[in-house]
Amino acid sequence: MVDRWERRYRALTIGVDLTAIVLAVVAGNALGLGREVPQFGNVAPGVGILAGLLMVVAMIVCRAWDPRILGHGSDEFGRLIKAVVTSAVSLGMLGLAFQATAARPWVFGLMPMAGLLSVLGRLALRKWLHRLRRGGRCVHPAIVVGGDEAVTEMIDRTRRDTARGWRVVGVCTPTGHAPDGGDEILGVPVLGDLDAVGDVVHQHAVRVVAVCPAPGWTSRRLHQLAWDIEDINAELVVDPGLMEVAGPRLHVDPVDGLPLLRLTRPTFSGVAWVAKQIVDRLGALLLLVFLSPVLLAVAVGVKLDGGPVFFTQTRVGRHGSEFRMLKFRSMVPDAEARLPELAHANEGAGPMFKIRDDPRVTRFGAFLRRYSLDELPQLFNVLAGSMSLVGPRPPLPSEVEAYSPAAQRRLLVRPGLTGLWQISGRSDLSWEQAVRLDLRYVENWNLALDALILWKTVGAVLNSRGAY
């Protein structure tokens, strides 16, 4: 059974889409667009109403209002865009069949405008939903099944990713107990062993059953669990136990009816890669022009604070090439010389050096770091081609010397002004978490992921979590 808040959220989404369509239809008719059809003469407001009906039908056919995809993931917007394109093409084909140019302003202007309004409305709804979930509302109770380590990691991830809306209410482990023999893992009760999963799911009326790798967990058990929960409204999700690879690199390749996951190698060339370079250079140029008043004001503030305006430091870029990264100075001028005396206070994990209350940071520098304003000059690095708008964190040469073979893969792409590390906690992340996020980006890079990271960076900067 769908929860009350889900029905309300779906109704709000439908309302946003219908409002966008109505606004487009009203605007088109108010402007006098799409009136003449050769066979029927002046048909206003017929073309607009037809365009609106086609969009509604396309959204139903493309399942753009499916509750399972609303509020999270890119599939929601993918289906919405598919519905807009399908309806526009349909109207265009009708216009071609009747030799009616009246369809053109709708196909190329008003219907895309309705789609854009729908996207903006859904983004606003999603932000509202995520805010409620951070407060513990509008969430799905979940059961996690798997080995002790996998279960612990899944609980930790769901707590960090509050936007996903899962609240783990219980776990099932191979032994039916916590690793220390207790009855809780990270405060979550252990409700049984692997044989008790079906009964536990029914008893606790959960909405999500997350299955992680575990000794003794076979495909037969997974099939049985899927059959056991068919009669309740629970979603079964499975961690494949593989590396964190998704998107276009994963393909289902059956062999004699057995579905296998085929993993293709990551590509850093081709049309998409060229498009990324163009977006980087053009985006950096536009941002520099748009933010020039901010850059000037910050430069004046840093200068009044005493010392040089800019701080340059050698960082390592793609394929290990070194470059000089540019930042606004946020520390005292002799910060590098004072580094050895602060080694004992290092809070950073791995090769990173971090101090939450670094005494070298100036008062104005603390403000700059809080809102990442000190990093704005890196747009010049992006413009020069040594960095990208989105990518892994730019490392120091000393950090690269300590890299493991896995961490070396971060150097397959240009470092970024922002990245998964920026939107996931920044300095609050451990070294292992930072490496995992950077590797996830490298392994799954695509333009859609870049766009999502850029969008979420705005919220991360304003929130300023992990910025010090």
Side-chain angles (χ1 to χ4, degrees), residues 45-68:
V47 178
I49 293 175
L50 178 61
L53 290 175
L54 285 174
M55 291 189 71
V56 172
V57 171
M59 288 186 179
I60 295 173
V61 172
C62 295
R63 295 180 298 159
W65 296 327
D66 187 341
R68 292 173 296 181

Side-chain angles (χ1 to χ4, degrees), residues 231-303:
D231 59 332
I232 63 175
N233 187 31
E235 181 182 12
L236 181 64
V237 295
V238 181
D239 175 2
L242 303 174
M243 55 193 303
E244 296 185 61
V245 177
R249 291 186 58 202
L250 282 183
H251 309 270
V252 178
D253 206 357
V255 175
D256 191 29
L258 175 66
L260 301 177
L261 288 179
R262 179 165 54 87
L263 179 65
T264 58
R265 59 184 298 181
T267 56
F268 307 105
S269 60
V271 176
W273 189 251
V274 171
K276 178 179 174 67
Q277 314 314 311
I278 295 174
V279 170
D280 281 342
R281 307 293 176 85
L282 183 59
L285 180 60
L286 293 176
L287 285 172
L288 283 170
V289 173
F290 179 74
L291 295 174
S292 55
V294 177
L295 292 168
L296 181 60
V298 172
V300 171
V302 175
K303 190 62 179 177

Side-chain angles (χ1 to χ4, degrees), residues 183-242:
D183 55 2
E184 287 188 350
I185 297 179
L186 297 182
V188 178
V190 180
L191 303 177
D193 58 17
L194 301 184
D195 293 325
V197 176
D199 293 335
V200 168
V201 172
H202 280 83
Q203 290 171 7
H204 291 80
V206 297
R207 288 292 305 277
V208 179
V209 183
V211 180
C212 304
W217 189 263
T218 63
S219 59
R220 179 166 182 163
R221 273 184 160 174
L222 185 60
H223 276 132
Q224 186 60 53
L225 176 60
W227 297 333
D228 289 342
I229 65 175
E230 278 183 348
D231 59 332
I232 63 175
N233 187 31
E235 181 182 12
L236 181 64
V237 295
V238 181
D239 175 2
L242 303 174

